Amino acid sequence: MTDPNEPSERTVEAERTVCPFCGVGCTIEYAGNETTTGVEGPVNTRGEICPKGAAAFDVVTHDDRLTEPLVRHNGRFVTAPWEEALNRVAERLGRIRDDHGADAIQFFASSNCTNEENYVFQKIARVLGTNNVDNCARLCHSSTVAAMGERLGAGAMTNTLDDLSETDCLFVNGANPAEQHPVAFRSYLLPAIRDGASLIHVDPRANDTTEAADVHLPLEPGTDIEVANAIANVLLEEELVDDAFLAERVTGVDAFREHLASVDVEANARAAGVDPEAIREAARLFGEADRGAVITGMGTSQHRCGTDNVHALLNLALLTGNIGRRGTGVNPLRGQNNVQGASDVGALPGVLPGYEPVTDPDARARVADEWGVEPPAEPGLTEVTATHRFGEDVHGAVVFGENPAVTEPNATAVASAFDELDFCVVIDLFETETAAHADVVLPASSWAEKAGTVTNTDRRVMRMRPNATLPGNARRDLDILTAIGRRLTDVPEEFEYDGPEAVFEELTRVAPIYAGMSYDGIGDGYQRWPFPVDAEAGTDVLHTETFATGERTAPLSAVDPTPPADTLDTGELTLTTGRVLQHFNSGALTRRSDRLMAMRGEDVLQIHPDDADDRGIEDGDTVSVANERGEVTVTADVTTAVRRGVVFCTFHYAEPLVNTLAGDALDPVAEIPEYKHSAVRVEPVAPPVEAD
Ligand SMILES: Nc1nc2c(c(=O)[nH]1)N[C@H]1C(S)=C(S)[C@@H](COP(=O)(O)OP(=O)(O)OC[C@H]3O[C@@H](n4cnc5c(=O)[nH]c(N)nc54)[C@H](O)[C@@H]3O)O[C@H]1N2
Ligand SMILES: Nc1nc2c(c(=O)[nH]1)N[C@H]1C(S)=C(S)[C@@H](COP(=O)(O)OP(=O)(O)OC[C@H]3O[C@@H](n4cnc5c(=O)[nH]c(N)nc54)[C@H](O)[C@@H]3O)O[C@H]1N2
Ligand code: SF4
Ligand SMILES: [Mo]
């Protein structure tokens, strides 16, 4: 916190903006006294927020904020003037490009930052001559986007939060919206449940979402395909499918039936460790519902078979005709406040702004018309693959608002890989664990110090507005990026913008899905893509008459299970990871909030009483969790919320660094890591002391 004895030179005022945390996109503003409050916005129509939104200001005035550029001299960081720091960035990255080509540099974009910032960021990479730009969408829903893109032609939520409140059945697979998308859960999903909608929760753990569930399938991590295929089998066997929809809108039905004939519900239930009767009950609830909606999250997507997991869920929606109507669909709840937007504006290695493939010459030519430089035609590296190649063919990195040394799998190896680079610049609010391996660190702007737009989970573009001035010599992210673009590229004039609105205008010309949007049009409300809403269909729901592929039909696609990469030796347990309400991702922001830390201040390992007993572990004991990649010590929370054989931990803390335990396996299609299944040994750190 700021020193109360020092008069603060920072002015603070209330301006409607968007919460910096999750993809729900609640509207908040400064409320005085270093706090924020929810105000009525497009999503939180009654001004409702969760504890993170309420604590958002804590980070803005935190003492740890970077206020000067840092440049490494003889191994140590020293503060430096902006000119020197920026020149060093341009000179060193320029040298890497000259020596090895632009593809030797990796650009880590920020799903925590605005559309305008990410648009400029990917433009720097592409103008420089590389498609090596990626964002955290890689780590959350890249598999979802891949499967949905292939089958339906669009990787975003098919439906809107608003219409999901009209559903009759929620099929929530590997997501915990009660904690991770709290306002969406309380204001859109719970009302549907109170109106009689059923909830099926497919999750190895019982958590806050499970409390509202009619059926809980506590599957073994990594067995989602077994469960979804068993449900598909029951749907077909018990004639719970929508024959009219299958006839009109679906192809591959016969081949799918044939494939599913070999699926045995009992055997799949056994493999997943769930009750076959519960699978049947789930199938009946979903199949008999007039409107059934699938909601999917990280438990589905973060496996080496993440793309297939989503294919298996898409089958359930297509079989039951639950696509293209209100209250239905397949709905990935997006992660950070702008992970949807960072992807929309082209911070991905395979697509240009608006998801046009880099391999499409017409799309490249359209971009070249605007930029005067044609983007390269070869898709770039995804972010985890890139870190695996640091020091080999990748020699430089620009890390913008990401903390891969904490959040990528096998994190200790990732941190060392950063030391293999010739040059790394980090643009962040704090001296992060990744910054510790950088050569230059640039002090950036928090959510409260910038203007721009972000795109929430149901594709709504909303405006952010500054509530505070910058601390010390920190600069706005957009100013930092344009300054780098002007120094580093051969087209400095392409990085002269008169503020974020001018960037947005360019974006609407380059990205077809944003065409026609404007700051004025958005105002205090929102504009949703595809824009404008199709007047004929009269709805914001996708795929109503045709799929986004342009086709009237989408295919069923049979998938078989893939075993996780880690196999369990005797005595080992399966570690799966995830989130809690009070903390956010790497914890960079939430660990620094006293009020959030007071609510939940440490990481714990959830472990089943029988597994704890076997190891002589009691509730509250310090335990070691280890495998060949690393070890962490953490407090045991002995609970029946997790199934036997499975332990659960968050990854919100740099200490313990849980991601040291996650493996390098990637989904072959989307290159998403297998965060949700690692083999670990769990032991008490010291033998329990007998109390007399
Ligand atoms: N409070 C809070 N909210 C957040 C975030 C945060 O860090 N904290 N982060 C944001 C981001 S970036 C994202 S991507 C979203 C993610 O939101 P969610 O997808 O809800 O996040 P997770 O907790 O990672 O995973 C969801 C559930 O998957 C379960 N799971 C684990 N393994 C498996 C499995 O093999 N199969 C199935 N079916 N389930 C499994 C876990 O037990 C967990 O309850 O949340 C966003 N919102
Ligand atoms: N074990 C395990 N690991 C996981 C996951 C999991 O479920 N399990 N989930 C994965 C997922 S889904 C995700 S999205 C990733 C998240 O991974 P990251 O994106 O690396 O984590 P974050 O904490 O969201 O943010 C990173 C950085 O952004 C900075 N930042 C915030 N706002 C701003 C800003 O306005 N400007 C600038 N310049 N910087 C800013 C923060 O200070 C922080 O250092 O983690 C992944 N890692
Ligand atoms: S639900 Fe998400 S967007 Fe809304 S206040 Fe909480 S963290 Fe912020
Ligand atoms: Mo995420």
Side-chain angles (χ1 to χ4, degrees):
M1 295 296 108
T2 40
D3 182 345
N5 302 317
E6 287 284 315
S8 172
E9 286 172 27
R10 304 185 61 195
T11 51
V12 183
E13 55 186 296
E15 282 272 22
R16 301 166 63 86
T17 193
V18 181
C19 172
F21 293 108
C22 86
V24 172
C26 299
T27 302
I28 60 170
E29 67 181 24
Y30 184 66
N33 228 353
E34 310 237 318
T35 60
T36 43
T37 182
V39 285
E40 293 165 8
V43 186
N44 55 336
T45 53
R46 295 184 309 276
E48 60 275 35
I49 49 171
C50 80
K52 289 185 302 303
F57 212 84
D58 293 3
V59 81
V60 175
T61 45
H62 199 280
D63 273 349
D64 288 353
R65 282 288 300 272
L66 290 165
T67 55
E68 301 287 343
L70 302 176
V71 172
R72 206 177 278 283
H73 273 295
N74 301 325
R76 306 183 73 113
F77 279 135
V78 292
T79 59
W82 272 98
E83 270 310 294
E84 182 190 329
L86 287 170
N87 286 341
R88 166 111 34 142
V89 171
E91 188 252 316
R92 296 289 298 277
L93 291 176
R95 204 188 305 159
I96 293 171
R97 179 203 44 196
D98 294 345
D99 291 351
H100 305 280
D103 286 335
I105 304 171
Q106 185 71 24
F107 289 78
F108 295 76
S110 182
S111 326
N112 295 296
C113 288
T114 65
N115 287 322
E116 293 75 9
E117 290 154 0
N118 280 291
Y119 174 80
V120 166
F121 191 74
Q122 59 85 40
K123 183 175 177 181
I124 298 174
R126 294 193 157 115
V127 164
L128 196 65
T130 182
N131 284 314
N132 283 353
V133 57
D134 204 1
N135 79 84
C136 262
R138 183 67 44 205
L139 312 177
C140 4
H141 271 306
S142 58
S143 46
T144 319
V145 172
M148 291 180 71
E150 185 193 323
R151 302 273 287 283
L152 312 179
M157 275 179 74
T158 59
N159 286 60
T160 68
L161 292 174
D162 216 29
D163 78 76
L164 287 179
S165 61
E166 296 168 19
T167 192
D168 301 308
C169 177
L170 290 161
F171 188 102
V172 180
N173 200 93
N176 177 13
E179 293 191 67
Q180 268 77 260
H181 299 88
V183 169
F185 187 75
R186 253 178 283 140
S187 303
Y188 295 90
L189 305 185
L190 262 190
I193 294 167
R194 287 203 197 98
D195 273 358
S198 50
L199 170 66
I200 300 153
H201 196 209
V202 187
D203 194 309
R205 293 185 310 138
N207 50 44
D208 287 2
T209 302
T210 324
E211 280 178 23
D214 298 279
V215 180
H216 179 210
L217 299 175
L219 78 179
E220 191 74 52
T223 59
D224 291 85
I225 293 175
E226 282 87 338
V227 170
N229 280 356
I231 291 175
N233 185 299
V234 177
L235 291 173
L236 287 166
E237 232 171 50
E238 300 192 7
E239 292 175 12
L240 297 167
V241 298
D242 182 337
D243 287 317
F245 189 84
L246 288 180
E248 262 185 61
R249 307 266 337 247
V250 181
T251 57
V253 181
D254 292 340
F256 186 77
R257 273 183 197 278
E258 212 171 292
H259 192 97
L260 266 275
S262 65
V263 168
D264 173 20
V265 175
E266 263 69 26
N268 275 29
R270 220 175 304 123
V274 295
D275 176 4
E277 268 320 301
I279 287 189
R280 290 205 168 83
E281 200 189 336
R284 286 172 200 140
L285 279 174
F286 190 66
E288 283 164 6
D290 186 22
R291 288 174 287 192
V294 175
I295 294 202
T296 179
M298 303 299 94
T300 318
S301 62
Q302 292 175 331
H303 289 279
R304 73 160 164 166
C305 55
T307 304
D308 281 352
N309 284 348
V310 177
H311 279 304
L313 289 179
L314 285 165
N315 292 335
L316 302 183
L318 288 171
L319 281 171
T320 52
N322 276 314
I323 294 237
R325 289 181 294 134
R326 292 176 69 81
T328 70
V330 176
N331 299 285
L333 294 176
R334 300 308 299 252
Q336 289 123 322
N337 71 339
N338 200 34
V339 64
Q340 180 69 54
S343 303
D344 292 350
V345 306
L348 291 172
V351 290
L352 299 167
Y355 300 102
E356 305 217 87
V358 295
T359 49
D360 175 355
D362 295 336
R364 288 200 308 278
R366 261 198 308 278
V367 173
D369 275 348
E370 190 66 45
W371 295 354
V373 180
E374 188 168 311
E378 275 285 299
L381 296 176
T382 63
E383 52 179 69
V384 185
T385 298
T387 52
H388 293 173
R389 284 159 65 166
F390 279 4
E392 291 169 20
D393 46 2
V394 180
H395 300 286
V398 184
V399 183
F400 172 46
E402 252 198 51
N403 195 3
V406 173
T407 52
E408 275 200 16
N410 203 355
T412 309
V414 168
S416 320
F418 269 92
D419 293 331
E420 301 299 315
L421 294 173
D422 294 345
F423 181 78
C424 172
V425 52
V426 166
I427 306 162
D428 207 294
L429 313 178
F430 302 107
E431 205 175 325
T432 61
E433 293 70 21
T434 306
H437 302 269
D439 301 281
V440 173
V441 183
L442 301 176
S445 48
S446 78
W447 65 273
E449 297 140 4
K450 58 168 91 172
T453 60
V454 287
T455 308
N456 85 330
T457 188
D458 65 350
R459 313 186 306 277
R460 279 187 264 198
V461 184
M462 296 181 279
R463 279 173 63 183
M464 294 189 71
R465 298 177 179 84
N467 281 242
T469 50
L470 287 155
N473 278 323
R475 286 194 181 171
R476 296 220 162 77
D477 290 284
L478 191 60
D479 295 338
I480 299 172
L481 298 177
T482 50
I484 293 175
R486 285 194 299 270
R487 281 171 175 78
L488 181 60
T489 70
D490 300 330
V491 281
E493 67 283 3
E494 278 300 316
F495 296 92
E496 296 287 357
Y497 291 101
D498 195 12
E501 189 172 358
V503 180
F504 190 77
E505 274 169 19
E506 181 176 313
L507 168 67
T508 63
R509 293 194 296 273
V510 175
I513 55 174
Y514 282 57
M517 291 184 188
S518 70
Y519 265 37
D520 282 348
I522 297 169
D524 284 345
Y526 69 92
Q527 288 179 326
R528 178 180 267 133
W529 72 258
F531 184 83
V533 169
D534 180 347
E536 218 165 285
T539 167
D540 291 328
V541 175
L542 298 182
H543 317 303
T544 47
E545 296 301 318
T546 54
F547 290 95
T549 48
E551 304 286 327
R552 175 87 178 126
T553 58
L556 283 168
S557 171
V559 286
D560 291 318
T562 306
D566 272 15
T567 50
L568 266 62
D569 287 338
T570 319
E572 287 187 331
L573 300 172
T574 299
L575 169 70
T576 192
T577 57
R579 300 162 159 80
V580 292
L581 171 69
Q582 299 82 358
H583 287 277
F584 194 77
N585 290 353
S586 75
L589 276 53
T590 52
R591 274 188 265 146
R592 290 184 166 91
S593 162
D594 292 342
R595 68 191 100 188
L596 291 173
M597 287 302 277
M599 287 182 205
R600 194 155 189 157
E602 68 162 340
D603 208 356
V604 294
L605 184 80
Q606 291 187 314
I607 182 168
H608 189 274
D610 294 345
D611 291 323
D613 255 7
D614 289 351
R615 291 162 181 77
I617 293 168
E618 288 186 21
D619 194 50
D621 281 355
T622 304
V623 294
S624 144
V625 190
N627 59 21
E628 73 276 14
R629 294 177 287 267
E631 177 182 6
V632 298
T633 54
V634 53
T635 305
D637 172 17
V638 178
T639 167
T640 52
V642 280
R643 56 177 297 132
R644 188 153 195 207
V646 175
V647 288
F648 173 88
C649 217
T650 79
F651 65 104
H652 296 311
Y653 300 80
E655 184 55 48
L657 182 60
V658 169
N659 268 325
T660 196
L661 301 166
D664 287 326
L666 301 177
D667 174 283
V669 180
E671 300 193 2
I672 192 168
E674 187 147 80
Y675 288 118
K676 295 291 195 255
H677 187 288
S678 309
V680 292
R681 299 180 298 280
V682 179
E683 288 161 5
V685 162
V689 182
E690 292 288 323
D692 275 312

